[in-house]
Amino acid sequence: RVKALAVILNFFQGGREHRTLADAAAKISKAIDGNVQTVAVLDIRSDHWALSDYIVDGLNHELANALEKTNMAERDDYSLALIQQESDYQLSGAVSDETIQEIGAALGADCIVLGNMETVSGGWQLILRASTVETKKVLVSWRGKVSAKEKEVKFQVEKSKKSPKPKYELKS
């Protein structure tokens, strides 16, 4: 697991400088640390569920280490079920990002981090946004490019193709 985490920290590149999730976490934490009490990394939208989960886990790890004054909200099975349910609706166009904001509030977060992982020429692009739950104001945004040659990304994409996304159920 430590080796896999080291891989994700080294595959983000953009322009001349080498960018990592640690860089993204540093930028996000600088903008929010002390300005919000609790942050939640809710979802990274991607065509590949395993890749999304992998990035969320890595970003959670990096933010937890970068933040000094702000707490991290834990994603439990209930919150994962809500996110999954709302994401399924979003694919049909029936639910707006406001619902995701409501999930953040239900987790006790006053700031949420969302992102998109999209295919671009030569690889993938990850865009992250941290915004307040109450006003939906974007506090900071970060973008990085991932090489198409990155083995761990390829592995997560293949994992998504070979196995179904885990299902989380809402329990009364």
Side-chain angles (χ1 to χ4, degrees), residues 2-3 29-30 33 37 50 55 60 70 78 82 107 111-112 116 123 132 135 144 149-150 155 165 167:
V2 172
K3 186 176 180 180
S29 68
K30 185 177 180 182
D33 203 16
Q37 290 184 342
I55 293 169
N60 269 321
T70 300
Y78 178 75
L82 283 173
L107 290 173
C111 178
I112 60 168
N116 294 310
T132 63
T135 65
K149 296 178 183 177
E150 176 52 49
F155 174 79
K165 182 176 181 175
K167 296 289 182 188

mmCIF file of all heavy atoms in Angstrom, residues 2-3 29-30 33 37 50 55 60 70 78 82 107 111-112 116 123 132 135 144 149-150 155 165 167:
data_model
loop_
_atom_site.group_PDB
_atom_site.id
_atom_site.type_symbol
_atom_site.label_atom_id
_atom_site.label_comp_id
_atom_site.label_asym_id
_atom_site.label_seq_id
_atom_site.Cartn_x
_atom_site.Cartn_y
_atom_site.Cartn_z
ATOM 1 N N VAL A 2 1.966 1.217 0.761
ATOM 2 C CA VAL A 2 2.869 2.371 0.789
ATOM 3 C C VAL A 2 3.491 2.577 -0.585
ATOM 4 O O VAL A 2 3.593 3.692 -1.069
ATOM 5 C CB VAL A 2 3.965 2.182 1.864
ATOM 6 C CG1 VAL A 2 5.011 3.266 1.767
ATOM 7 C CG2 VAL A 2 3.343 2.151 3.241
ATOM 8 N N LYS A 3 3.866 1.483 -1.245
ATOM 9 C CA LYS A 3 4.453 1.584 -2.582
ATOM 10 C C LYS A 3 3.437 2.164 -3.569
ATOM 11 O O LYS A 3 3.773 3.017 -4.379
ATOM 12 C CB LYS A 3 4.927 0.211 -3.050
ATOM 13 C CG LYS A 3 5.676 0.257 -4.355
ATOM 14 C CD LYS A 3 6.211 -1.106 -4.717
ATOM 15 C CE LYS A 3 6.960 -1.044 -6.033
ATOM 16 N NZ LYS A 3 7.488 -2.337 -6.412
ATOM 17 N N SER A 29 -4.531 23.165 0.885
ATOM 18 C CA SER A 29 -4.433 23.430 2.330
ATOM 19 C C SER A 29 -4.054 24.877 2.619
ATOM 20 O O SER A 29 -4.543 25.470 3.577
ATOM 21 C CB SER A 29 -3.455 22.464 2.999
ATOM 22 O OG SER A 29 -2.130 22.696 2.576
ATOM 23 N N LYS A 30 -3.208 25.457 1.785
ATOM 24 C CA LYS A 30 -2.822 26.858 1.975
ATOM 25 C C LYS A 30 -4.037 27.775 1.866
ATOM 26 O O LYS A 30 -4.165 28.756 2.603
ATOM 27 C CB LYS A 30 -1.772 27.256 0.945
ATOM 28 C CG LYS A 30 -1.234 28.652 1.144
ATOM 29 C CD LYS A 30 -0.138 28.962 0.148
ATOM 30 C CE LYS A 30 0.390 30.370 0.349
ATOM 31 N NZ LYS A 30 1.421 30.708 -0.634
ATOM 32 N N ASP A 33 -6.713 26.141 5.066
ATOM 33 C CA ASP A 33 -6.302 25.847 6.439
ATOM 34 C C ASP A 33 -6.521 27.067 7.335
ATOM 35 O O ASP A 33 -6.013 28.147 7.082
ATOM 36 C CB ASP A 33 -4.837 25.422 6.486
ATOM 37 C CG ASP A 33 -4.513 24.601 7.716
ATOM 38 O OD1 ASP A 33 -5.453 24.101 8.369
ATOM 39 O OD2 ASP A 33 -3.313 24.428 8.011
ATOM 40 N N GLN A 37 -13.339 24.802 9.098
ATOM 41 C CA GLN A 37 -13.099 23.880 10.207
ATOM 42 C C GLN A 37 -12.898 22.443 9.730
ATOM 43 O O GLN A 37 -12.045 21.738 10.240
ATOM 44 C CB GLN A 37 -14.251 23.935 11.198
ATOM 45 C CG GLN A 37 -14.304 25.232 11.959
ATOM 46 C CD GLN A 37 -15.391 25.220 13.010
ATOM 47 O OE1 GLN A 37 -16.308 24.413 12.975
ATOM 48 N NE2 GLN A 37 -15.283 26.127 13.968
ATOM 49 N N ALA A 50 -12.331 2.702 -10.123
ATOM 50 C CA ALA A 50 -11.152 2.359 -9.312
ATOM 51 C C ALA A 50 -10.143 3.502 -9.318
ATOM 52 O O ALA A 50 -9.507 3.797 -8.299
ATOM 53 C CB ALA A 50 -10.510 1.072 -9.811
ATOM 54 N N ILE A 55 -7.536 7.995 -6.414
ATOM 55 C CA ILE A 55 -7.159 9.406 -6.290
ATOM 56 C C ILE A 55 -7.751 10.006 -5.016
ATOM 57 O O ILE A 55 -7.071 10.749 -4.296
ATOM 58 C CB ILE A 55 -7.582 10.201 -7.539
ATOM 59 C CG1 ILE A 55 -6.770 9.715 -8.739
ATOM 60 C CG2 ILE A 55 -7.388 11.697 -7.332
ATOM 61 C CD1 ILE A 55 -7.271 10.228 -10.062
ATOM 62 N N ASN A 60 -6.941 12.320 0.167
ATOM 63 C CA ASN A 60 -7.277 12.330 1.588
ATOM 64 C C ASN A 60 -6.021 12.210 2.440
ATOM 65 O O ASN A 60 -5.853 12.922 3.429
ATOM 66 C CB ASN A 60 -8.245 11.198 1.939
ATOM 67 C CG ASN A 60 -9.684 11.613 1.841
ATOM 68 O OD1 ASN A 60 -10.062 12.711 2.210
ATOM 69 N ND2 ASN A 60 -10.510 10.725 1.318
ATOM 70 N N THR A 70 -7.242 22.550 10.166
ATOM 71 C CA THR A 70 -8.518 22.101 9.622
ATOM 72 C C THR A 70 -8.625 20.586 9.748
ATOM 73 O O THR A 70 -7.652 19.869 9.506
ATOM 74 C CB THR A 70 -8.640 22.522 8.142
ATOM 75 O OG1 THR A 70 -8.557 23.954 8.064
ATOM 76 C CG2 THR A 70 -9.944 22.065 7.535
ATOM 77 N N TYR A 78 -22.004 5.094 4.849
ATOM 78 C CA TYR A 78 -23.212 5.880 4.608
ATOM 79 C C TYR A 78 -22.942 7.008 3.615
ATOM 80 O O TYR A 78 -23.684 7.205 2.651
ATOM 81 C CB TYR A 78 -23.752 6.443 5.927
ATOM 82 C CG TYR A 78 -24.984 7.304 5.745
ATOM 83 C CD1 TYR A 78 -26.220 6.724 5.479
ATOM 84 C CD2 TYR A 78 -24.908 8.688 5.812
ATOM 85 C CE1 TYR A 78 -27.349 7.498 5.292
ATOM 86 C CE2 TYR A 78 -26.034 9.473 5.638
ATOM 87 C CZ TYR A 78 -27.250 8.874 5.377
ATOM 88 O OH TYR A 78 -28.358 9.641 5.188
ATOM 89 N N LEU A 82 -24.420 7.597 -0.216
ATOM 90 C CA LEU A 82 -25.042 8.834 -0.692
ATOM 91 C C LEU A 82 -24.337 9.360 -1.943
ATOM 92 O O LEU A 82 -24.982 9.748 -2.918
ATOM 93 C CB LEU A 82 -25.004 9.912 0.394
ATOM 94 C CG LEU A 82 -26.009 9.796 1.518
ATOM 95 C CD1 LEU A 82 -25.723 10.849 2.584
ATOM 96 C CD2 LEU A 82 -27.422 9.931 0.997
ATOM 97 N N LEU A 107 -22.003 15.507 6.232
ATOM 98 C CA LEU A 107 -20.777 14.967 6.833
ATOM 99 C C LEU A 107 -20.170 15.914 7.858
ATOM 100 O O LEU A 107 -19.175 15.590 8.494
ATOM 101 C CB LEU A 107 -19.742 14.687 5.746
ATOM 102 C CG LEU A 107 -20.026 13.535 4.807
ATOM 103 C CD1 LEU A 107 -19.005 13.495 3.678
ATOM 104 C CD2 LEU A 107 -20.022 12.222 5.565
ATOM 105 N N CYS A 111 -16.286 22.690 3.893
ATOM 106 C CA CYS A 111 -15.570 22.801 2.624
ATOM 107 C C CYS A 111 -15.503 21.413 1.998
ATOM 108 O O CYS A 111 -15.269 20.422 2.698
ATOM 109 C CB CYS A 111 -14.159 23.339 2.870
ATOM 110 S SG CYS A 111 -13.146 23.463 1.379
ATOM 111 N N ILE A 112 -15.759 21.344 0.704
ATOM 112 C CA ILE A 112 -15.657 20.053 0.015
ATOM 113 C C ILE A 112 -14.665 20.165 -1.134
ATOM 114 O O ILE A 112 -14.443 21.241 -1.687
ATOM 115 C CB ILE A 112 -17.024 19.566 -0.524
ATOM 116 C CG1 ILE A 112 -17.608 20.557 -1.529
ATOM 117 C CG2 ILE A 112 -17.981 19.281 0.607
ATOM 118 C CD1 ILE A 112 -18.786 20.023 -2.296
ATOM 119 N N ASN A 116 -12.451 16.129 -11.370
ATOM 120 C CA ASN A 116 -12.719 15.381 -12.599
ATOM 121 C C ASN A 116 -11.405 14.824 -13.120
ATOM 122 O O ASN A 116 -10.392 15.528 -13.120
ATOM 123 C CB ASN A 116 -13.312 16.288 -13.686
ATOM 124 C CG ASN A 116 -14.679 16.796 -13.333
ATOM 125 O OD1 ASN A 116 -15.552 16.037 -12.963
ATOM 126 N ND2 ASN A 116 -14.853 18.093 -13.423
ATOM 127 N N GLY A 123 -2.583 11.399 -22.297
ATOM 128 C CA GLY A 123 -2.842 10.880 -20.957
ATOM 129 C C GLY A 123 -4.156 11.334 -20.380
ATOM 130 O O GLY A 123 -5.182 11.292 -21.041
ATOM 131 N N THR A 132 -16.719 26.159 -0.589
ATOM 132 C CA THR A 132 -17.457 26.178 0.667
ATOM 133 C C THR A 132 -18.807 25.507 0.477
ATOM 134 O O THR A 132 -19.409 25.600 -0.589
ATOM 135 C CB THR A 132 -17.660 27.609 1.187
ATOM 136 O OG1 THR A 132 -18.450 28.327 0.245
ATOM 137 C CG2 THR A 132 -16.337 28.307 1.441
ATOM 138 N N THR A 135 -21.753 28.677 0.762
ATOM 139 C CA THR A 135 -21.895 29.648 -0.336
ATOM 140 C C THR A 135 -21.544 29.074 -1.707
ATOM 141 O O THR A 135 -21.772 29.720 -2.715
ATOM 142 C CB THR A 135 -20.994 30.869 -0.092
ATOM 143 O OG1 THR A 135 -19.619 30.448 -0.148
ATOM 144 C CG2 THR A 135 -21.301 31.528 1.234
ATOM 145 N N GLY A 144 -3.625 19.152 -12.968
ATOM 146 C CA GLY A 144 -2.394 18.440 -13.274
ATOM 147 C C GLY A 144 -2.629 17.439 -14.383
ATOM 148 O O GLY A 144 -3.749 16.961 -14.589
ATOM 149 N N LYS A 149 1.593 6.891 -19.981
ATOM 150 C CA LYS A 149 2.498 5.771 -19.721
ATOM 151 C C LYS A 149 2.479 5.330 -18.260
ATOM 152 O O LYS A 149 3.098 4.330 -17.912
ATOM 153 C CB LYS A 149 3.924 6.165 -20.104
ATOM 154 C CG LYS A 149 4.076 6.439 -21.579
ATOM 155 C CD LYS A 149 5.473 6.876 -21.906
ATOM 156 C CE LYS A 149 5.591 7.214 -23.387
ATOM 157 N NZ LYS A 149 6.921 7.700 -23.728
ATOM 158 N N GLU A 150 1.791 6.045 -17.404
ATOM 159 C CA GLU A 150 1.771 5.740 -15.974
ATOM 160 C C GLU A 150 1.129 4.380 -15.719
ATOM 161 O O GLU A 150 -0.050 4.177 -15.998
ATOM 162 C CB GLU A 150 1.041 6.837 -15.211
ATOM 163 C CG GLU A 150 0.876 6.575 -13.754
ATOM 164 C CD GLU A 150 2.178 6.225 -13.068
ATOM 165 O OE1 GLU A 150 3.167 6.947 -13.250
ATOM 166 O OE2 GLU A 150 2.183 5.216 -12.347
ATOM 167 N N PHE A 155 -3.355 0.426 -14.502
ATOM 168 C CA PHE A 155 -3.829 -0.676 -13.659
ATOM 169 C C PHE A 155 -5.216 -0.373 -13.102
ATOM 170 O O PHE A 155 -6.105 -1.221 -13.121
ATOM 171 C CB PHE A 155 -2.843 -0.941 -12.511
ATOM 172 C CG PHE A 155 -3.331 -1.966 -11.536
ATOM 173 C CD1 PHE A 155 -3.232 -3.321 -11.833
ATOM 174 C CD2 PHE A 155 -3.911 -1.577 -10.332
ATOM 175 C CE1 PHE A 155 -3.704 -4.267 -10.937
ATOM 176 C CE2 PHE A 155 -4.381 -2.519 -9.438
ATOM 177 C CZ PHE A 155 -4.279 -3.879 -9.737
ATOM 178 N N LYS A 165 -18.125 -1.797 -9.795
ATOM 179 C CA LYS A 165 -17.939 -0.834 -8.717
ATOM 180 C C LYS A 165 -18.599 -1.382 -7.456
ATOM 181 O O LYS A 165 -19.724 -1.886 -7.508
ATOM 182 C CB LYS A 165 -18.575 0.499 -9.110
ATOM 183 C CG LYS A 165 -18.409 1.579 -8.084
ATOM 184 C CD LYS A 165 -18.985 2.888 -8.593
ATOM 185 C CE LYS A 165 -18.777 3.980 -7.560
ATOM 186 N NZ LYS A 165 -19.215 5.277 -8.053
ATOM 187 N N LYS A 167 -20.812 -1.682 -4.291
ATOM 188 C CA LYS A 167 -22.104 -1.057 -3.991
ATOM 189 C C LYS A 167 -22.206 -0.805 -2.500
ATOM 190 O O LYS A 167 -21.935 -1.686 -1.690
ATOM 191 C CB LYS A 167 -23.271 -1.953 -4.433
ATOM 192 C CG LYS A 167 -23.338 -2.171 -5.928
ATOM 193 C CD LYS A 167 -23.772 -0.916 -6.631
ATOM 194 C CE LYS A 167 -23.893 -1.164 -8.131
ATOM 195 N NZ LYS A 167 -24.128 0.043 -8.858
#
